[in-house]
Amino acid sequence: MGVRDLADYPWDAVVPYRERASQHPNGLVDLSIGSPVDPTPEVIRRALAEATDAHAYPQTVGTGDVRRAIVDWYARRRGVPDLTEANVMPTIGSKELVALLPLLLGLGAGDIVVHPRVAYPTYAVGAAVAGAAAVAADDPAEWPEGAKLIWINTPGNPDGRTWNVDELGAAVRRARELGAVLASDECYAELGWDGPWGTESIPSVLDPRVTDGSRANLLSVYSLSKQSNLAGYRAAFIAGCSKLIAEILAARKHLGLMPPAPVQHAMAVALRDDEHVATQKRLYRERRDVLLPALVAAGFRIDGSEAGLYLWATEGRDAWDSMDRLASLGILAGPGHFYGDHSGQHVRLSLTAPLDRVQQAAARLASAAH
C-alpha cells in the first residue's frame, strides 16, 4: 500500500445526487459536508489582521503564546490541568495530521493502524500513505496484537459516538498492553447534546481520570474549524506525551509543516475566548432541534448523534436509496458507505447549513411524510 493505491476521492460519487437535488424548485439544501457557513467571529478576524506582518518563517513548534493558550484551554475546557508547552503543538488543520501521523511516527509495512468501524476515511488513508495496514475495530478487546497506532474518535464523525471516562480508561489500558500509541480525535468535543453530554463536559483521553498518572503514548487532537468557524484558517493542534510530541516535531520540521504565523496568533485569541464558542453551539443546537424531529417524522431512525456536528440517520435500507429519496426533496446528505463497510444503511446530515435552509429541509420532509 502507498499513495498510489489510494482510491478515487469518494465524494465524486455524490455528484449525480447533487445535480438532482439542485433541480428542486426551491433550491438545494446541502447537508452533506460539515463545512462552516457562519462568519468567523470578529475577535478572531481582528487578531488575524493584527498579525499580517509575517515576514519571518513561522515556528513549527508554535509560538510560546499559542502553546500557552492551548495548555490553558485544556485546563479550562477539558479538565486536563497539568500540561506544559512541551506537551502541545499547533498543526495545519487536523486532517493533515490525521493523514500523516502514521508516517510521522515511523510506521510502515507490517505495522497496523486501528481505527473505528464507522469512521472518517482519513484514518485509513494515513495508514495507506505510510504503507501500513488499517484494521477497523471498536472494542479494545478486539484490537490486534501488532497494532502500533490506535485511533479513537470521540465524539465520532459521522455517528456521534462519545466515550465516557471508564471507556477511555479501558482503551488506555489495552493500548498499553499492546505497546501502541493511542490517538484520540476529539475535534467535536465542545458539541455535546444528549444524555450526560447535555450537561457534562466530554472527557479527553488526557483527562487525569483516564490516564492513571501517565500520558506516555497518549495523544489528543483538536480543531478550531467547527467551534470557531476557522476551517479556512487550517487551525488545529495536538497534545499529549511530550516524547511523542518531540518526535513528531522533529519530522514536521524536516517536512516544512509550519502553521502560518498570523494563524497561530488568531488561534491563541480564539482559544482564550469562550463566548463565541457558546454562541456557535447555540446556532448548531437550534438547527439540530429543527432537523432531528423532521427526520424522525419522515421515517428515519437517528443512531448515536448524542454529540458532534451530524445526525446519523437510517431508514433500514441502502444508503444510496435514502440519498435518492432525499435528493428528490432537494436535500443532499452524505452516504454511509463513505464511512466504512459497517454503515451502508445510514446517511450523514450536517448541521452546518443556515437555519432557513434547515427549516426548508424540515418542511420538505414533513410534506413527504404525509
Side-chain angles (χ1 to χ4, degrees), residues 154-170:
T154 172
N157 172 12
D159 61 356
R161 180 196 177 185
T162 303
W163 295 58
N164 63 32
V165 167
D166 290 342
E167 291 167 334
L168 287 171

Side-chain angles (χ1 to χ4, degrees), residues 1-3 6 94-109 111-115 120-135 149 151:
M1 290 292 288
V3 174
L6 295 177
S94 60
K95 186 171 184 176
E96 64 91 346
L97 178 68
V98 171
L100 291 178
L101 188 59
L103 188 67
L104 296 175
L105 292 174
L107 273 63
D111 293 328
I112 296 173
V113 176
V114 177
H115 61 78
Y120 179 58
T122 307
Y123 306 122
V125 168
V129 167
V135 172
L149 172 62
W151 279 106

